[in-house]
Amino acid sequence: MDLFMVVSLILIIAMLIAALVAAESRDLISAAIAMGVVSLIASILFYMLQAPDVAITEASIGAGLSLAIMIFAIKHTVRWEK
Amino acid sequence: MIPYYYIASIALIALGFYIVIAKKNLIKIIIGLDMMDTGVNLLLISIGYVKGGTAPIENGNYPIYVDPIPQALVLTAIVIGVSVMALALSIAIGLYKNTGTVEIDEIRRLRE
Amino acid sequence: MKRAVAAILAILIFIVLGLAFAKIPFGNVNLEDYHYYNPIQDKQTSDSVPAHYLKEGKNETGSTNIVTAVVVDYRGFDTLGEVTVLFLASTGVGSVMYIFEKEKRRKVRRANAVVETASKLLFGFIILFGAYIFVHGHLTPGGGFPGGAVIASSFLLLYLAYPKFHAEHKSLNVAESLAGLTFVGVGLIGLLVASYFLYNFLPFGLPTYLFSAGVIPIIYVAVGVKVGSELTGIVDAMMGVRE
């Protein structure tokens, strides 16, 4: 149990909780925001796995552009899942 | 030692697969595909990790580096993933403009 | 019923993938000591591909960042294919959204003064940061793909702050076509000089200097401009027609 493992386990548990929220939420906007949280934590994990190039890309695309595009799409359609 | 990074990324892949199979809302299905994408990227990067290694940028005095090839593959896969997701979302919007719904059950009923 | 079947299938996939990856060690590999079976020479060799890239990458390509060396030089043709996929997806989004958004014009409220002023001030700095990321792609982490994404997010900021803003389609097209032509043109010059595509024909220079690594910075700047204009086009199409 070193520091790397403790921080990784905390981040992984937070990421899986956010993924469960994205799976089960009936509000599509909160599902999209939970998906953005999953991407953001994944980018921190990429940085901890010594992949800074991938971490920059995932932080700007997964948590920024992807979330914005998804929210535009939800604004064009319906917000609540039946 | 338990490879917890593999377990986390495989859990993301399985959860995304569950969303794609079980949910009936098109946008929710696209969220599931995005989640599978993130899981696969995390799996590839964690296979390339070397304990005690540093990022593959030549700095002259540190001899151990992590594997650069999965990083190069994932770098392009992320950008491709977001553009394909935008294409899928625009097709879903087009379906909504034509049929008035994004639930696949109701779209299937409209055909009859 | 359907949810139960889906849950069982997902658990099955979890178990199967977990068993498949259980034998791969996490973090305990030494890239120098990989022993691959080489079917051509019919023996175990120790010179693995990542070890070769890490050992010889700086001498063979002149780039300090080995990931950039792999993306642009060793697998440059693959990157050309990826950029083409991105172009096709962007075209598809534009055409699909154009058909369905032509007649509808929405009224959007103005954002408040703080947001408008701050985004006007920040816009230039974010573009400068994106350009910094892709110009220094061969020296520091980053490169054309993240730099292009940062430039697209600066345009996204303007779209969110100004309801009437929309990017000039003509200049986006010109930037994107010029970037693609630069990529293919540099590759063709390499074909003329040394008889294979994307040959690194310029002198490498001193490593860790900005003007080094031959054609890699040129190609990465082209990729950055191309990715930035395509992602801006996708954001523009997804926002729809605004009045």
Side-chain angles (χ1 to χ4, degrees), chain B residues 11-28:
Chain B
L12 273 187
I13 296 173
L15 194 58
F17 185 80
Y18 167 75
I19 295 174
V20 172
I21 297 289
K23 302 291 174 178
K24 296 189 173 97
N25 188 303
L26 273 177
I27 292 179
K28 205 58 177 287

Side-chain angles (χ1 to χ4, degrees), chain B residues 2 6-7 9 17 21-22 40 42 46 49-50 60 64 78 95:
Chain B
I2 306 168
Y6 295 171
I7 294 175
S9 41
F17 185 80
I21 297 289
V40 171
L42 191 57
S46 57
Y49 179 67
V50 177
I64 309 171
I78 290 173
L95 210 54

Side-chain angles (χ1 to χ4, degrees), chain C residues 164-175:
Chain C
K164 287 182 181 172
F165 175 80
H166 64 91
E168 282 288 330
H169 284 224
K170 198 169 276 179
S171 46
L172 280 183
N173 283 344
V174 168

Side-chain angles (χ1 to χ4, degrees), chain C:
Chain C
M1 180 59 203
K2 197 177 171 188
R3 288 170 69 100
V5 172
I8 292 170
L9 275 177
I11 291 170
L12 266 180
I13 280 189
F14 182 78
I15 293 170
V16 167
L17 281 179
L19 288 177
F21 284 95
K23 282 287 176 60
I24 300 177
F26 173 69
N28 288 325
V29 288
N30 185 357
L31 294 179
E32 304 283 334
D33 286 349
Y34 266 165
H35 287 292
Y36 282 125
Y37 173 69
N38 187 339
I40 299 169
Q41 297 171 355
D42 193 25
K43 63 176 183 183
Q44 302 274 337
T45 67
S46 63
D47 189 22
S48 66
V49 176
H52 177 83
Y53 285 168
L54 288 172
K55 218 183 297 167
E56 301 291 332
K58 198 164 83 171
N59 301 328
E60 285 179 358
T61 67
S63 162
T64 316
N65 188 347
I66 305 296
V67 176
T68 301
V70 175
V71 168
V72 181
D73 197 294
Y74 290 114
R75 300 177 182 219
F77 199 59
D78 181 48
T79 305
L80 184 59
E82 309 258 11
V83 173
T84 313
V85 173
L86 192 59
F87 169 70
L88 283 179
S90 164
T91 317
V93 173
S95 57
V96 171
M97 293 302 288
Y98 179 73
I99 294 170
F100 294 107
E101 280 293 315
K102 220 167 58 174
E103 75 281 2
K104 193 178 156 196
R105 288 176 188 276
R106 288 184 287 120
K107 270 243 161 72
V108 189
R109 266 190 307 141
R110 281 186 66 175
N112 65 23
V114 178
V115 174
E116 287 190 351
T117 315
S119 60
K120 202 184 288 176
L121 283 175
L122 275 175
F123 173 70
F125 286 108
I126 298 177
I127 287 214
L128 199 64
F129 181 57
Y132 171 82
I133 287 179
F134 64 64
V135 167
H136 289 78
H138 56 298
L139 303 176
T140 52
F145 291 98
V150 169
I151 286 181
S153 61
S154 76
F155 278 101
L156 174 69
L157 181 68
L158 282 194
Y159 274 102
L160 291 179
Y162 294 93
K164 287 182 181 172
F165 175 80
H166 64 91
E168 282 288 330
H169 284 224
K170 198 169 276 179
S171 46
L172 280 183
N173 283 344
V174 168
E176 205 234 314
S177 321
L178 274 182
L181 274 179
T182 311
F183 197 152
V184 178
V186 169
L188 286 179
I189 292 174
L191 190 64
L192 281 179
V193 170
S195 79
Y196 66 89
F197 193 68
L198 280 173
Y199 175 71
N200 202 339
F201 57 88
L202 288 177
F204 289 166
L206 287 171
T208 72
Y209 279 77
L210 181 58
F211 292 104
S212 65
V215 299
I216 289 180
I218 302 173
I219 293 179
Y220 238 178
V221 168
V223 169
V225 173
K226 199 165 161 62
V227 171
S229 52
E230 275 159 1
L231 288 180
T232 308
I234 286 179
V235 169
D236 179 61
M238 295 298 287
M239 288 298 278
V241 175
R242 289 121 56 87
E243 187 54 35

